[in-house]
Amino acid sequence: MPAGPLGSLIGRASLATVDVQGGEISMLVTPLAAPTGPFRVCVHRTELRGSRTSALGLPVHRLRIVQADSVLDGGRLILKRELGVIRTGLMGVEVVIDAHSLARVVERRMPTVSDVTVVLADNRVCIQGRSSAPRGAVTLVAEVASYNGDQIVLRNGRLWVDVNEVPTGLAAMMIGAMNPVFSLRDTLGPGTNIAIRKVQVSEGVVRAVLGGLSIGTGKSARQ
């Protein structure tokens, strides 16, 4: 609850929204404020919406972060016009990656494949391009799935070179070069209590829903 004259002046906020266009989001949370400030502001719901940004090590088409029950440093907010987060509740993150962004990921992971195009639909990805090893026009079709709560992977792949389907072992090798497409452990480090809840592939986009992260100098507001 807000405390002191400045805290009473601010009162209680119900919703804070931040919109981001372009650029790079290097952190999912703002830096923690020192816990000694006497003025605190409780924000029931904070929402960040970004488009055409870079986050979690990936080019992101759309990004939406919802943070529940945040406590902000009110004195810092008024006197310095800076946002300091003392503690938060649980976070929900929705990341949307489009086919163009995923094609750039494929080109980085698989330098032997050029002129890459990606088609996304029905929980599957279709990757097409020109390959130097094996030589020819390649088409890889695979399922997109979450694995172990912290990775997005490709699985059950089939590979064609020109018009001929090749043995599954070669398809598995190409998928192995891509996997994991995304790893929370590699991006956020070990011990982070956030997990991939759901991965969906619809027309033109991969949508991943993450949740569970809380930060703070004390206990989370939901603990």
Side-chain angles (χ1 to χ4, degrees), residues 166-183:
V166 301
T168 55
L170 188 57
M173 288 178 58
M174 185 169 285
I175 286 179
M178 279 289 297
N179 280 339
V181 176
F182 170 72
S183 170

Side-chain angles (χ1 to χ4, degrees), residues 198-212:
K198 181 170 56 175
V199 176
Q200 293 179 322
V201 179
S202 56
E203 196 66 36
V205 297
V206 177
R207 176 176 173 267
V209 179
L210 294 67

Side-chain angles (χ1 to χ4, degrees), residues 90-93 146-152 184 193-200 207-213:
L90 297 182
M91 173 188 288
V93 182
S146 62
Y147 173 76
N148 203 33
D150 63 0
Q151 293 181 345
I152 297 176
L184 277 174
N193 64 330
I194 189 169
I196 299 172
R197 305 297 189 194
K198 181 170 56 175
V199 176
Q200 293 179 322
R207 176 176 173 267
V209 179
L210 294 67
L213 181 67

Side-chain angles (χ1 to χ4, degrees), residues 149-171:
D150 63 0
Q151 293 181 345
I152 297 176
V153 298
L154 303 181
R155 66 184 186 187
N156 299 331
R158 299 177 65 184
L159 176 66
W160 290 262
V161 177
D162 294 327
V163 295
N164 301 310
E165 186 171 4
V166 301
T168 55
L170 188 57

Side-chain angles (χ1 to χ4, degrees), residues 8 11-12 15 47 51-53 56 78 91 93 96 110 117 119 122 126 129 139 147 149 157 184 190 207 211 216:
S8 300
R12 178 181 290 270
L15 176 65
E47 181 171 332
S51 60
R52 295 296 175 184
T53 61
L56 297 172
I78 286 185
M91 173 188 288
V93 182
V96 178
M110 302 175 63
T117 60
V119 178
D122 300 326
C126 176
T139 300
Y147 173 76
L184 277 174
R207 176 176 173 267

Side-chain angles (χ1 to χ4, degrees), residues 26-146:
S26 59
M27 297 180 62
L28 289 183
V29 292
T30 53
L32 290 175
T36 56
F39 313 121
R40 298 188 176 195
V41 181
C42 180
V43 181
H44 295 307
R45 176 184 170 94
T46 304
E47 181 171 332
L48 183 146
R49 299 189 298 257
S51 60
R52 295 296 175 184
T53 61
S54 177
L56 297 172
L58 292 170
V60 174
H61 181 61
R62 290 195 307 273
L63 176 70
R64 180 172 174 264
I65 301 173
V66 177
Q67 191 82 55
D69 299 329
S70 302
V71 178
L72 308 181
D73 184 336
R76 184 175 170 184
L77 184 66
I78 286 185
L79 299 177
K80 297 183 179 181
R81 295 185 179 181
E82 295 177 352
L83 180 63
V85 180
I86 296 174
R87 68 172 182 266
T88 72
L90 297 182
M91 173 188 288
V93 182
E94 182 181 71
V95 181
V96 178
I97 305 169
D98 62 11
H100 177 77
S101 297
L102 190 56
R104 305 291 78 78
V105 174
V106 173
E107 289 175 346
R108 291 199 304 269
R109 298 283 184 87
M110 302 175 63
T112 60
V113 181
S114 59
D115 300 327
V116 174
T117 60
V118 171
V119 178
L120 298 165
D122 300 326
N123 289 329
R124 294 179 181 271
V125 57
C126 176
I127 302 170
Q128 297 177 309
R130 298 292 306 180
S131 173
S132 59
R135 186 173 298 276
V138 294
T139 300
L140 175 68
V141 178
E143 298 174 2
V144 180
S146 62

